[in-house]
Each structure stands twice: as structure tokens, then as C-alpha cells.
Coordinates of all heavy atoms in Angstrom, one line a residue:
M1 N 37.8 -36.4 -65.9 CA 37.3 -35.1 -65.6 C 38.4 -34.0 -65.7 O 39.5 -34.3 -65.3 CB 36.6 -35.0 -64.2 CG 35.9 -33.7 -64.0 SD 35.4 -33.6 -62.2 CE 34.1 -34.8 -62.2
R2 N 38.1 -32.9 -66.2 CA 39.0 -31.8 -66.4 C 39.4 -31.3 -65.0 O 38.5 -31.0 -64.2 CB 38.3 -30.8 -67.3 CG 39.3 -29.7 -67.8 CD 38.6 -29.0 -68.9 NE 39.6 -28.0 -69.4 CZ 39.2 -27.1 -70.3 NH1 38.1 -27.1 -70.8 NH2 40.1 -26.2 -70.7
S3 N 40.6 -30.9 -64.9 CA 41.0 -30.3 -63.6 C 42.1 -29.2 -63.9 O 42.8 -29.4 -64.9 CB 41.4 -31.3 -62.5 OG 42.7 -31.9 -62.9
Y4 N 42.3 -28.3 -62.9 CA 43.2 -27.3 -63.0 C 44.2 -27.3 -61.8 O 43.7 -27.8 -60.7 CB 42.6 -26.0 -63.2 CG 41.8 -25.8 -64.4 CD1 40.4 -25.9 -64.3 CD2 42.3 -25.7 -65.7 CE1 39.6 -25.7 -65.4 CE2 41.6 -25.6 -66.8 CZ 40.2 -25.7 -66.7 OH 39.4 -25.6 -67.8
S5 N 45.4 -26.8 -62.0 CA 46.4 -26.7 -60.9 C 46.2 -25.4 -60.2 O 46.1 -24.4 -60.9 CB 47.7 -27.1 -61.6 OG 48.7 -26.6 -60.6
V6 N 46.2 -25.4 -58.9 CA 46.3 -24.2 -58.1 C 47.5 -24.1 -57.2 O 47.8 -25.0 -56.5 CB 45.0 -24.0 -57.2 CG1 45.0 -22.7 -56.4 CG2 43.7 -24.1 -58.0
L7 N 48.2 -22.9 -57.4 CA 49.4 -22.8 -56.6 C 49.1 -21.7 -55.5 O 48.6 -20.6 -55.9 CB 50.6 -22.3 -57.5 CG 51.8 -21.9 -56.7 CD1 52.5 -23.0 -56.0 CD2 52.8 -21.2 -57.7
L8 N 49.3 -22.1 -54.3 CA 49.2 -21.0 -53.3 C 50.6 -20.3 -53.2 O 51.6 -21.0 -52.7 CB 48.9 -21.5 -51.9 CG 47.4 -22.2 -51.8 CD1 47.1 -22.7 -50.5 CD2 46.4 -21.2 -52.3
V9 N 50.8 -19.1 -53.7 CA 52.1 -18.5 -54.0 C 52.9 -18.5 -52.7 O 54.1 -18.8 -52.7 CB 51.8 -17.1 -54.6 CG1 53.2 -16.4 -54.8 CG2 51.2 -17.3 -56.0
K10 N 52.3 -17.9 -51.7 CA 53.1 -17.7 -50.4 C 53.6 -18.9 -49.8 O 54.7 -19.0 -49.2 CB 52.4 -16.9 -49.5 CG 52.2 -15.4 -49.9 CD 51.7 -14.6 -48.7 CE 51.8 -13.1 -49.1 NZ 51.2 -12.2 -48.1
Q11 N 52.8 -20.0 -49.8 CA 53.2 -21.3 -49.2 C 53.9 -22.2 -50.1 O 54.6 -23.1 -49.6 CB 51.9 -22.0 -48.7 CG 51.1 -21.3 -47.5 CD 50.3 -20.0 -48.1 OE1 50.1 -19.7 -49.3 NE2 49.8 -19.2 -47.1
G12 N 53.8 -21.9 -51.4 CA 54.4 -22.9 -52.3 C 53.7 -24.1 -52.5 O 54.3 -25.2 -52.9
W13 N 52.5 -24.3 -52.0 CA 51.7 -25.6 -52.1 C 50.8 -25.5 -53.4 O 50.2 -24.5 -53.8 CB 50.7 -25.7 -50.9 CG 51.5 -25.7 -49.6 CD1 52.8 -26.0 -49.4 CD2 51.0 -25.3 -48.3 NE1 53.1 -25.8 -48.1 CE2 52.1 -25.5 -47.4 CE3 49.8 -24.7 -47.9 CZ2 51.9 -25.1 -46.0 CZ3 49.7 -24.4 -46.5 CH2 50.7 -24.6 -45.7
R14 N 50.6 -26.8 -53.9 CA 49.8 -26.9 -55.1 C 48.8 -28.0 -54.9 O 49.0 -29.0 -54.2 CB 50.8 -27.3 -56.2 CG 50.4 -27.0 -57.7 CD 51.5 -27.5 -58.7 NE 52.5 -26.6 -58.8 CZ 52.5 -25.3 -59.5 NH1 51.4 -25.1 -60.2 NH2 53.5 -24.7 -59.6
F15 N 47.6 -27.8 -55.5 CA 46.5 -28.8 -55.5 C 45.7 -28.7 -56.8 O 45.9 -27.7 -57.5 CB 45.7 -28.7 -54.3 CG 45.0 -27.3 -54.1 CD1 43.7 -27.1 -54.5 CD2 45.7 -26.3 -53.5 CE1 43.0 -25.8 -54.4 CE2 45.1 -25.0 -53.3 CZ 43.7 -24.9 -53.8
Q16 N 44.9 -29.7 -57.1 CA 44.1 -29.7 -58.2 C 42.6 -29.4 -57.9 O 42.1 -29.8 -56.9 CB 44.1 -31.2 -58.8 CG 45.5 -31.6 -59.4 CD 45.9 -30.8 -60.6 OE1 46.9 -30.1 -60.6 NE2 45.1 -30.8 -61.6
V17 N 42.0 -28.7 -58.8 CA 40.6 -28.3 -58.7 C 39.8 -29.0 -59.8 O 40.2 -28.8 -61.0 CB 40.4 -26.9 -58.7 CG1 38.9 -26.5 -58.5 CG2 41.1 -26.1 -57.6
N18 N 38.8 -29.8 -59.6 CA 38.0 -30.4 -60.7 C 37.1 -29.3 -61.3 O 36.8 -28.4 -60.6 CB 37.2 -31.6 -60.2 CG 38.0 -32.7 -59.8 OD1 39.1 -33.0 -60.4 ND2 37.7 -33.5 -58.8
H19 N 36.8 -29.5 -62.6 CA 35.9 -28.6 -63.2 C 34.6 -28.4 -62.4 O 33.9 -29.3 -62.0 CB 35.6 -29.2 -64.6 CG 34.7 -28.2 -65.4 ND1 35.1 -27.1 -65.9 CD2 33.3 -28.3 -65.7 CE1 34.1 -26.5 -66.6 NE2 33.0 -27.2 -66.4
G20 N 34.3 -27.2 -62.0 CA 33.1 -26.8 -61.3 C 33.2 -27.0 -59.8 O 32.2 -26.6 -59.1
Q21 N 34.2 -27.5 -59.3 CA 34.4 -27.7 -57.9 C 34.9 -26.4 -57.2 O 35.6 -25.6 -57.8 CB 35.4 -28.8 -57.7 CG 35.8 -29.1 -56.2 CD 36.8 -30.2 -56.0 OE1 37.8 -30.2 -56.8 NE2 36.7 -31.1 -55.1
S22 N 34.4 -26.2 -56.0 CA 35.0 -25.0 -55.3 C 36.4 -25.1 -55.0 O 36.9 -26.2 -54.5 CB 34.1 -24.6 -54.0 OG 34.6 -25.3 -52.9
I23 N 37.1 -24.0 -55.1 CA 38.6 -24.1 -54.7 C 38.8 -24.4 -53.3 O 39.7 -25.2 -53.0 CB 39.2 -22.7 -55.1 CG1 39.0 -22.5 -56.6 CG2 40.7 -22.6 -54.6 CD1 39.4 -21.0 -57.0
L24 N 38.0 -23.9 -52.4 CA 38.1 -24.3 -50.9 C 38.0 -25.7 -50.7 O 38.9 -26.3 -49.9 CB 37.0 -23.5 -50.2 CG 37.2 -23.5 -48.7 CD1 38.1 -22.4 -48.3 CD2 35.8 -23.4 -48.0
I25 N 37.0 -26.4 -51.3 CA 36.8 -27.8 -51.1 C 37.9 -28.6 -51.7 O 38.5 -29.6 -51.1 CB 35.5 -28.3 -51.7 CG1 34.3 -27.6 -50.9 CG2 35.3 -29.9 -51.6 CD1 34.2 -28.0 -49.5
A26 N 38.5 -28.2 -52.8 CA 39.5 -28.9 -53.5 C 40.8 -28.8 -52.7 O 41.6 -29.9 -52.5 CB 39.8 -28.3 -54.9
A27 N 41.0 -27.6 -52.0 CA 42.1 -27.5 -51.2 C 42.0 -28.5 -50.0 O 43.0 -29.1 -49.6 CB 42.3 -26.1 -50.7
Q28 N 40.9 -28.4 -49.4 CA 40.6 -29.3 -48.2 C 40.8 -30.8 -48.6 O 41.5 -31.4 -47.8 CB 39.1 -29.1 -47.8 CG 38.7 -29.7 -46.5 CD 37.2 -29.4 -46.2 OE1 36.9 -28.2 -46.1 NE2 36.5 -30.4 -46.0
E29 N 40.4 -31.2 -49.8 CA 40.6 -32.6 -50.1 C 42.1 -32.9 -50.3 O 42.5 -34.1 -50.2 CB 39.8 -32.8 -51.4 CG 38.4 -33.0 -51.1 CD 37.5 -33.2 -52.4 OE1 38.1 -33.4 -53.5 OE2 36.4 -33.3 -52.3
A30 N 42.9 -31.9 -50.6 CA 44.3 -32.1 -50.8 C 45.0 -31.8 -49.4 O 46.3 -31.8 -49.3 CB 44.8 -31.0 -51.8
G31 N 44.3 -31.6 -48.3 CA 45.0 -31.5 -47.0 C 45.4 -30.1 -46.7 O 46.3 -29.8 -45.9
I32 N 44.8 -29.1 -47.4 CA 45.1 -27.8 -47.1 C 43.8 -27.0 -46.6 O 42.8 -27.1 -47.3 CB 45.7 -27.1 -48.4 CG1 46.9 -27.7 -48.9 CG2 45.8 -25.6 -48.2 CD1 47.4 -27.4 -50.2
R33 N 43.9 -26.4 -45.5 CA 42.8 -25.6 -45.0 C 43.0 -24.1 -45.3 O 44.0 -23.5 -44.8 CB 42.7 -25.8 -43.5 CG 41.5 -25.0 -42.9 CD 41.1 -25.5 -41.5 NE 42.3 -25.3 -40.6 CZ 42.6 -24.2 -40.0 NH1 41.9 -23.2 -40.1 NH2 43.6 -24.1 -39.2
I34 N 42.2 -23.6 -46.1 CA 42.1 -22.1 -46.3 C 41.1 -21.6 -45.3 O 40.0 -22.2 -45.3 CB 41.8 -21.7 -47.7 CG1 42.8 -22.2 -48.7 CG2 41.6 -20.2 -47.9 CD1 42.4 -22.1 -50.2
N35 N 41.3 -20.6 -44.5 CA 40.4 -20.1 -43.5 C 39.1 -19.9 -44.1 O 39.0 -19.3 -45.1 CB 40.8 -18.8 -42.8 CG 41.7 -19.1 -41.6 OD1 42.0 -20.2 -41.3 ND2 42.1 -18.0 -40.9
S36 N 38.0 -20.4 -43.5 CA 36.6 -20.2 -44.0 C 35.7 -20.2 -42.8 O 36.0 -20.7 -41.7 CB 36.3 -21.3 -45.0 OG 36.2 -22.5 -44.3
S37 N 34.4 -19.7 -43.2 CA 33.4 -19.8 -42.1 C 32.1 -20.1 -42.8 O 31.6 -21.2 -42.7 CB 33.4 -18.4 -41.4 OG 32.3 -18.4 -40.4
C38 N 31.5 -19.1 -43.5 CA 30.2 -19.3 -44.0 C 30.1 -20.3 -45.2 O 29.2 -21.1 -45.3 CB 29.5 -18.1 -44.5 SG 30.2 -17.4 -46.0
R39 N 31.1 -20.3 -46.0 CA 31.1 -21.2 -47.2 C 30.0 -20.9 -48.2 O 29.7 -21.7 -49.0 CB 31.2 -22.6 -46.8 CG 32.4 -23.0 -46.0 CD 32.6 -24.4 -45.8 NE 34.0 -24.6 -45.3 CZ 34.7 -25.7 -45.4 NH1 34.2 -26.7 -46.1 NH2 35.9 -25.9 -44.8
N40 N 29.5 -19.7 -48.1 CA 28.4 -19.4 -49.1 C 28.6 -18.1 -49.7 O 27.7 -17.5 -50.3 CB 27.0 -19.5 -48.5 CG 26.8 -18.5 -47.4 OD1 27.5 -17.5 -47.3 ND2 25.8 -18.7 -46.5
G41 N 29.9 -17.5 -49.6 CA 30.1 -16.2 -50.3 C 29.8 -15.0 -49.6 O 29.8 -14.0 -50.3
S42 N 29.5 -15.1 -48.3 CA 29.0 -13.8 -47.7 C 29.9 -13.3 -46.6 O 30.1 -12.1 -46.4 CB 27.6 -14.1 -47.1 OG 27.5 -15.1 -46.1
C43 N 30.6 -14.2 -45.9 CA 31.5 -13.6 -44.7 C 32.8 -13.1 -45.1 O 33.5 -12.3 -44.3 CB 31.6 -14.8 -43.7 SG 32.8 -16.0 -44.1
R44 N 33.5 -13.4 -46.2 CA 34.7 -13.0 -46.7 C 35.9 -13.6 -46.0 O 37.0 -13.1 -46.2 CB 34.8 -11.4 -46.7 CG 33.7 -10.8 -47.6 CD 33.6 -9.4 -47.3 NE 34.8 -8.7 -47.4 CZ 35.2 -8.0 -48.4 NH1 34.6 -7.9 -49.6 NH2 36.4 -7.4 -48.4
T45 N 35.7 -14.5 -45.1 CA 36.8 -15.1 -44.4 C 37.8 -15.7 -45.2 O 39.0 -15.7 -45.0 CB 36.3 -16.2 -43.3 OG1 35.3 -15.5 -42.5 CG2 37.4 -16.7 -42.5
C46 N 37.4 -16.3 -46.4 CA 38.2 -17.0 -47.2 C 39.0 -16.2 -48.3 O 39.8 -16.7 -49.1 CB 37.6 -18.2 -48.0 SG 36.2 -17.6 -49.0
Y47 N 38.6 -14.8 -48.4 CA 39.2 -13.9 -49.3 C 40.7 -14.2 -49.8 O 41.5 -14.3 -48.9 CB 39.2 -12.6 -48.4 CG 39.3 -11.3 -49.1 CD1 38.3 -10.8 -49.9 CD2 40.4 -10.5 -48.8 CE1 38.4 -9.5 -50.4 CE2 40.5 -9.3 -49.4 CZ 39.6 -8.8 -50.2 OH 39.6 -7.5 -50.7
C48 N 40.8 -14.3 -51.0 CA 42.2 -14.5 -51.7 C 42.3 -13.6 -52.9 O 41.3 -13.2 -53.5 CB 42.4 -15.9 -52.2 SG 42.4 -17.2 -51.0
Q49 N 43.6 -13.4 -53.2 CA 43.9 -12.6 -54.4 C 44.3 -13.5 -55.5 O 45.3 -14.2 -55.4 CB 44.8 -11.4 -54.2 CG 44.8 -10.6 -55.4 CD 45.6 -9.3 -55.2 OE1 46.5 -9.2 -54.4 NE2 45.3 -8.2 -55.9
L50 N 43.7 -13.5 -56.7 CA 44.2 -14.2 -57.9 C 45.3 -13.4 -58.6 O 45.1 -12.3 -59.0 CB 43.0 -14.4 -58.8 CG 43.1 -15.3 -60.0 CD1 43.5 -16.6 -59.6 CD2 41.8 -15.2 -60.8
Q51 N 46.4 -14.1 -58.6 CA 47.6 -13.4 -59.3 C 47.7 -13.8 -60.8 O 48.0 -13.0 -61.7 CB 48.9 -13.7 -58.7 CG 49.2 -12.7 -57.6 CD 50.7 -12.9 -57.2 OE1 51.3 -13.9 -57.5 NE2 51.2 -11.9 -56.5
V52 N 47.4 -15.1 -61.1 CA 47.5 -15.6 -62.4 C 46.3 -16.5 -62.6 O 45.9 -17.3 -61.8 CB 48.8 -16.4 -62.6 CG1 48.9 -17.1 -63.9 CG2 50.0 -15.6 -62.3
G53 N 45.7 -16.4 -63.8 CA 44.7 -17.4 -64.2 C 43.3 -16.7 -64.2 O 43.1 -15.6 -63.9
Q54 N 42.4 -17.6 -64.5 CA 40.9 -17.3 -64.6 C 40.1 -18.1 -63.6 O 40.1 -19.3 -63.7 CB 40.5 -17.5 -66.0 CG 39.3 -16.8 -66.5 CD 39.5 -15.4 -66.6 OE1 40.5 -14.9 -67.0 NE2 38.4 -14.6 -66.2
A55 N 39.3 -17.4 -62.7 CA 38.4 -18.1 -61.8 C 37.0 -17.7 -62.1 O 36.9 -16.5 -62.7 CB 38.9 -17.9 -60.4
R56 N 36.1 -18.4 -61.7 CA 34.7 -17.9 -61.9 C 33.9 -18.2 -60.6 O 34.0 -19.3 -60.0 CB 34.0 -18.8 -63.0 CG 32.6 -18.6 -63.3 CD 32.1 -19.5 -64.5 NE 32.4 -20.8 -64.4 CZ 31.5 -21.7 -63.8 NH1 30.4 -21.4 -63.3 NH2 31.8 -23.0 -63.8
H57 N 33.2 -17.2 -60.2 CA 32.3 -17.4 -59.0 C 31.1 -18.2 -59.3 O 30.5 -18.1 -60.4 CB 31.9 -16.1 -58.4 CG 33.0 -15.5 -57.6 ND1 33.8 -14.4 -58.1 CD2 33.5 -15.8 -56.4 CE1 34.7 -14.1 -57.2 NE2 34.6 -15.0 -56.1
L58 N 30.7 -19.1 -58.4 CA 29.6 -20.1 -58.7 C 28.2 -19.5 -58.2 O 27.2 -20.0 -58.4 CB 29.8 -21.4 -57.9 CG 31.1 -22.1 -58.3 CD1 31.5 -23.1 -57.2 CD2 31.0 -22.8 -59.7
I59 N 28.3 -18.3 -57.6 CA 27.1 -17.6 -57.2 C 27.1 -16.1 -57.9 O 28.2 -15.7 -58.3 CB 26.9 -17.4 -55.7 CG1 28.1 -16.6 -55.1 CG2 26.9 -18.8 -55.1 CD1 27.9 -16.3 -53.7
D60 N 25.9 -15.6 -58.1 CA 25.8 -14.3 -58.8 C 26.4 -13.2 -57.9 O 26.9 -12.2 -58.5 CB 24.4 -14.0 -59.1 CG 23.9 -14.9 -60.2 OD1 24.7 -15.4 -61.0 OD2 22.7 -15.1 -60.3
W61 N 26.3 -13.1 -56.6 CA 26.6 -11.9 -55.8 C 27.5 -12.3 -54.8 O 27.2 -12.2 -53.6 CB 25.4 -11.3 -55.3 CG 24.5 -10.9 -56.4 CD1 23.3 -11.4 -56.8 CD2 24.6 -9.7 -57.3 NE1 22.7 -10.8 -57.8 CE2 23.5 -9.8 -58.1 CE3 25.6 -8.8 -57.4 CZ2 23.4 -8.8 -59.2 CZ3 25.4 -7.8 -58.3 CH2 24.3 -7.8 -59.3
P62 N 28.8 -12.7 -55.1 CA 29.8 -13.0 -54.0 C 30.0 -11.6 -53.3 O 29.8 -10.6 -54.0 CB 31.0 -13.4 -54.7 CG 30.9 -12.9 -56.1 CD 29.4 -12.9 -56.4
S63 N 30.4 -11.7 -52.0 CA 30.4 -10.4 -51.2 C 31.8 -9.8 -51.5 O 32.7 -9.7 -50.6 CB 30.4 -10.9 -49.8 OG 30.4 -9.7 -48.9
L64 N 31.9 -9.2 -52.6 CA 33.1 -8.4 -53.2 C 32.7 -7.2 -53.8 O 31.7 -7.2 -54.6 CB 33.9 -9.3 -54.2 CG 34.6 -10.5 -53.6 CD1 35.1 -11.3 -54.8 CD2 35.7 -10.1 -52.7
S65 N 33.5 -6.1 -53.7 CA 33.0 -4.9 -54.5 C 33.6 -5.1 -56.0 O 34.4 -6.0 -56.3 CB 33.8 -3.7 -53.8 OG 35.1 -3.7 -53.9
R66 N 33.1 -4.1 -56.8 CA 33.6 -4.2 -58.2 C 35.1 -4.0 -58.2 O 35.8 -4.6 -58.9 CB 32.8 -3.1 -59.0 CG 33.1 -3.2 -60.4 CD 32.0 -2.3 -61.2 NE 31.9 -1.0 -60.6 CZ 32.6 0.1 -61.0 NH1 33.5 0.0 -61.9 NH2 32.4 1.3 -60.5
E67 N 35.5 -3.1 -57.4 CA 37.0 -2.8 -57.4 C 37.7 -3.9 -56.9 O 38.8 -4.3 -57.5 CB 37.3 -1.6 -56.4 CG 36.8 -0.2 -56.8 CD 35.3 -0.1 -56.7 OE1 34.7 -0.9 -55.9 OE2 34.7 0.9 -57.2
E68 N 37.3 -4.7 -55.9 CA 38.0 -5.9 -55.4 C 38.0 -6.9 -56.6 O 39.1 -7.6 -56.8 CB 37.3 -6.4 -54.2 CG 37.6 -5.7 -52.9 CD 36.6 -6.1 -51.9 OE1 35.5 -6.6 -52.0 OE2 37.2 -5.9 -50.7
K69 N 36.9 -7.1 -57.3 CA 36.9 -8.0 -58.4 C 37.9 -7.7 -59.5 O 38.6 -8.5 -59.9 CB 35.5 -8.2 -59.0 CG 34.4 -8.8 -58.2 CD 33.1 -8.9 -58.8 CE 32.1 -9.4 -57.9 NZ 30.7 -9.2 -58.5
E70 N 37.9 -6.3 -59.8 CA 38.9 -5.9 -60.8 C 40.3 -6.1 -60.3 O 41.2 -6.3 -61.2 CB 38.6 -4.4 -61.0 CG 37.4 -4.1 -61.8 CD 36.9 -2.7 -62.0 OE1 37.7 -1.8 -61.4 OE2 35.9 -2.4 -62.5
E71 N 40.6 -6.1 -59.0 CA 42.0 -6.4 -58.5 C 42.3 -7.9 -58.3 O 43.3 -8.2 -57.9 CB 42.1 -5.6 -57.1 CG 42.2 -4.1 -57.4 CD 42.1 -3.3 -56.0 OE1 42.2 -4.0 -55.0 OE2 41.8 -2.1 -56.1
G72 N 41.3 -8.7 -58.8 CA 41.6 -10.0 -58.7 C 41.1 -10.8 -57.4 O 41.5 -11.9 -57.3
Y73 N 40.5 -10.1 -56.6 CA 40.1 -10.9 -55.4 C 38.9 -11.8 -55.7 O 38.0 -11.5 -56.4 CB 39.6 -9.8 -54.3 CG 40.9 -9.2 -53.6 CD1 41.3 -7.9 -54.2 CD2 41.6 -9.8 -52.7 CE1 42.4 -7.3 -53.6 CE2 42.8 -9.2 -52.2 CZ 43.2 -8.0 -52.7 OH 44.3 -7.4 -52.2
I74 N 38.9 -12.9 -55.0 CA 37.9 -14.0 -55.2 C 37.6 -14.5 -53.8 O 38.3 -14.5 -52.9 CB 38.3 -15.1 -56.1 CG1 39.6 -15.9 -55.6 CG2 38.7 -14.6 -57.5 CD1 39.8 -17.2 -56.2
L75 N 36.5 -15.2 -53.7 CA 36.1 -16.0 -52.5 C 36.1 -17.4 -52.9 O 35.2 -18.0 -53.5 CB 34.7 -15.5 -52.0 CG 34.6 -14.1 -51.6 CD1 33.1 -13.7 -51.4 CD2 35.5 -13.7 -50.5
P76 N 37.2 -18.2 -52.5 CA 37.4 -19.5 -53.1 C 36.2 -20.5 -52.5 O 36.2 -21.6 -53.1 CB 38.8 -19.9 -52.5 CG 39.0 -18.9 -51.5 CD 38.3 -17.7 -51.8
C77 N 35.5 -20.2 -51.5 CA 34.4 -21.0 -51.1 C 33.3 -21.2 -52.1 O 32.6 -22.1 -52.3 CB 33.8 -20.7 -49.7 SG 32.9 -19.1 -49.7
V78 N 33.2 -20.1 -53.0 CA 32.2 -20.1 -54.0 C 32.8 -19.7 -55.4 O 32.1 -19.2 -56.3 CB 31.0 -19.1 -53.7 CG1 30.2 -19.6 -52.6 CG2 31.7 -17.7 -53.4
A79 N 34.0 -20.2 -55.6 CA 34.7 -19.9 -56.9 C 35.4 -21.3 -57.3 O 35.8 -22.0 -56.6 CB 35.8 -18.8 -56.8
T80 N 35.4 -21.3 -58.7 CA 36.0 -22.5 -59.2 C 37.1 -22.0 -60.2 O 37.1 -20.8 -60.6 CB 35.0 -23.4 -59.9 OG1 35.7 -24.7 -60.2 CG2 34.4 -22.8 -61.1
A81 N 37.9 -22.9 -60.7 CA 39.0 -22.5 -61.6 C 38.6 -22.7 -63.0 O 37.9 -23.7 -63.4 CB 40.3 -23.4 -61.3
E82 N 39.0 -21.8 -63.9 CA 38.7 -22.0 -65.3 C 40.0 -22.0 -66.1 O 40.0 -22.1 -67.3 CB 38.0 -20.7 -65.8 CG 36.7 -20.5 -65.2 CD 35.5 -21.2 -65.9 OE1 35.1 -20.7 -66.9 OE2 35.1 -22.3 -65.4
S83 N 41.1 -22.1 -65.3 CA 42.5 -22.3 -65.9 C 43.4 -22.6 -64.7 O 43.0 -22.6 -63.5 CB 43.0 -21.0 -66.6 OG 43.3 -20.0 -65.6
D84 N 44.7 -22.9 -65.0 CA 45.5 -23.0 -63.8 C 45.7 -21.7 -63.1 O 45.6 -20.6 -63.7 CB 46.9 -23.4 -64.4 CG 46.9 -24.9 -64.8 OD1 46.0 -25.7 -64.5 OD2 47.9 -25.2 -65.5
L85 N 45.8 -21.7 -61.7 CA 45.7 -20.4 -61.0 C 46.9 -20.3 -60.1 O 47.4 -21.4 -59.7 CB 44.5 -20.4 -60.1 CG 43.1 -20.7 -60.7 CD1 42.0 -20.6 -59.6 CD2 42.8 -19.7 -61.8
E86 N 47.2 -19.1 -59.8 CA 48.1 -18.7 -58.7 C 47.4 -17.8 -57.8 O 47.0 -16.7 -58.2 CB 49.4 -18.1 -59.2 CG 50.2 -19.1 -60.1 CD 51.5 -18.5 -60.5 OE1 52.0 -17.5 -60.0 OE2 52.1 -19.1 -61.4
L87 N 47.2 -18.2 -56.5 CA 46.4 -17.5 -55.5 C 47.3 -17.0 -54.4 O 48.3 -17.7 -53.9 CB 45.5 -18.4 -55.0 CG 44.2 -18.7 -55.6 CD1 43.2 -19.6 -54.7 CD2 43.4 -17.4 -56.0
V88 N 47.0 -15.9 -53.8 CA 47.7 -15.3 -52.6 C 46.8 -15.3 -51.5 O 45.7 -14.6 -51.5 CB 48.2 -13.9 -52.9 CG1 49.0 -13.4 -51.7 CG2 49.2 -14.0 -54.1
T89 N 47.2 -15.9 -50.4 CA 46.5 -15.9 -49.1 C 47.5 -16.0 -47.9 O 48.5 -16.8 -48.1 CB 45.4 -16.9 -48.9 OG1 44.8 -16.7 -47.6 CG2 45.9 -18.3 -49.1
D90 N 47.3 -15.3 -46.8 CA 48.2 -15.5 -45.7 C 47.6 -16.6 -44.8 O 48.2 -17.1 -43.9 CB 48.2 -14.3 -44.8 CG 49.1 -13.2 -45.5 OD1 50.0 -13.5 -46.2 OD2 48.7 -12.0 -45.2
Y91 N 46.4 -17.1 -45.1 CA 45.6 -17.9 -44.2 C 45.4 -19.4 -44.7 O 44.1 -19.8 -44.9 CB 44.3 -17.2 -43.8 CG 44.6 -15.9 -43.2 CD1 44.3 -14.7 -44.0 CD2 45.1 -15.8 -41.9 CE1 44.6 -13.5 -43.4 CE2 45.5 -14.5 -41.4 CZ 45.1 -13.4 -42.2 OH 45.5 -12.2 -41.6
A92 N 46.4 -20.0 -45.0 CA 46.3 -21.4 -45.5 C 47.2 -22.3 -44.6 O 48.3 -21.9 -44.3 CB 46.7 -21.6 -46.9
F93 N 46.7 -23.4 -44.2 CA 47.4 -24.3 -43.3 C 47.4 -25.8 -43.7 O 46.3 -26.2 -44.3 CB 46.8 -24.2 -41.9 CG 46.7 -22.9 -41.4 CD1 45.5 -22.1 -41.7 CD2 47.8 -22.2 -40.7 CE1 45.4 -20.7 -41.4 CE2 47.6 -20.8 -40.4 CZ 46.5 -20.1 -40.7
K94 N 48.3 -26.6 -43.5 CA 48.2 -28.0 -43.7 C 47.4 -28.6 -42.7 O 47.6 -28.3 -41.5 CB 49.6 -28.6 -43.7 CG 50.5 -28.2 -44.9 CD 50.4 -29.1 -46.1 CE 51.4 -28.7 -47.2 NZ 51.4 -29.5 -48.4
I95 N 46.5 -29.5 -43.2 CA 45.6 -30.1 -42.1 C 46.3 -31.3 -41.5 O 47.0 -32.0 -42.2 CB 44.3 -30.7 -42.8 CG1 43.5 -29.5 -43.4 CG2 43.4 -31.4 -41.9 CD1 42.4 -29.9 -44.3
Ligands
FES101 S1 33.9 -18.7 -46.1 FE1 32.5 -17.0 -46.1 S2 32.9 -16.0 -48.0 FE2 34.1 -17.8 -48.2

């Protein structure tokens, strides 16, 4: 199965995301907890900024403004990788 590498820039941690898998779940499977709550793209707890790469939301209306999307913000509970990614969040922890 195709997979992509995700680097959490501030922490220097890296994990793999399988094609179509949510970034949040992939992180969890790698022992990394990104803060989350609803896991359906509405609460914004998991909010991250994409610095490098291409991600795709798995739902039509993630809770982000057009400006936020243009600035690279994503909700990793409902987003998957379309290339290798570099993501910025302050709220990631080793499980
Ligand atoms: S956990 Fe609620 S938007 Fe991602």
C-alpha cells in the first residue's frame, strides 16, 4: 500500500500515513498523540499548519475558513496525505 512520510516540524518526529488514512490515526498508530476531540472535522482541536506537501480533507466541509485553507491549515482528524508532509503543531505528545 502506498504511504507518505509526515514530519512534525517542531517535535522532529516522523510517521507514515497510508493512502486514504487520516493523519491523526496514523500518528496515533505510531505512538504520537495530536490533541483531538470530535474526530469529525468540527471542533478544530487538532488544527495544524501544513508547511510542505499536499494534504486532502476526507470530508467536504472541514471547519476551516477559506483564508485558513489558503494559509495551509488542515484538520488532521479528517485529512490524509497526498505527498510527504511537514506539519506544524504545538500539541503533539508521545503516547
Ligand atoms: S478533532 Fe475535532 S476537528 Fe479534528
Side-chain angles (χ1 to χ4, degrees):
M1 184 187 292
R2 192 164 179 186
S3 72
Y4 298 105
S5 161
V6 178
L7 173 67
L8 296 180
V9 175
K10 287 194 173 178
Q11 293 78 10
W13 301 334
R14 204 179 278 280
F15 57 93
Q16 292 294 122
V17 182
N18 291 325
H19 181 72
Q21 182 183 32
S22 88
I23 295 166
L24 189 85
I25 296 297
Q28 189 176 305
E29 288 180 1
I32 297 168
R33 180 168 59 83
I34 297 172
N35 269 6
S36 67
S37 179
C38 71
R39 299 191 168 203
N40 65 18
S42 58
C43 75
R44 300 167 52 97
T45 305
C46 63
Y47 196 69
C48 290
Q49 190 173 25
L50 184 60
Q51 269 194 344
V52 174
Q54 197 71 36
R56 174 175 60 87
H57 283 104
L58 301 164
I59 62 171
D60 289 337
W61 300 104
S63 185
L64 292 169
S65 69
R66 188 164 50 90
E67 291 76 14
E68 287 170 328
K69 287 181 189 168
E70 285 170 5
E71 289 168 15
Y73 286 96
I74 63 166
L75 298 175
C77 67
V78 288
T80 190
E82 299 272 284
S83 71
D84 291 344
L85 306 180
E86 294 186 10
L87 278 183
V88 177
T89 177
D90 288 330
Y91 303 106
F93 308 89
K94 291 271 188 177
I95 298 171

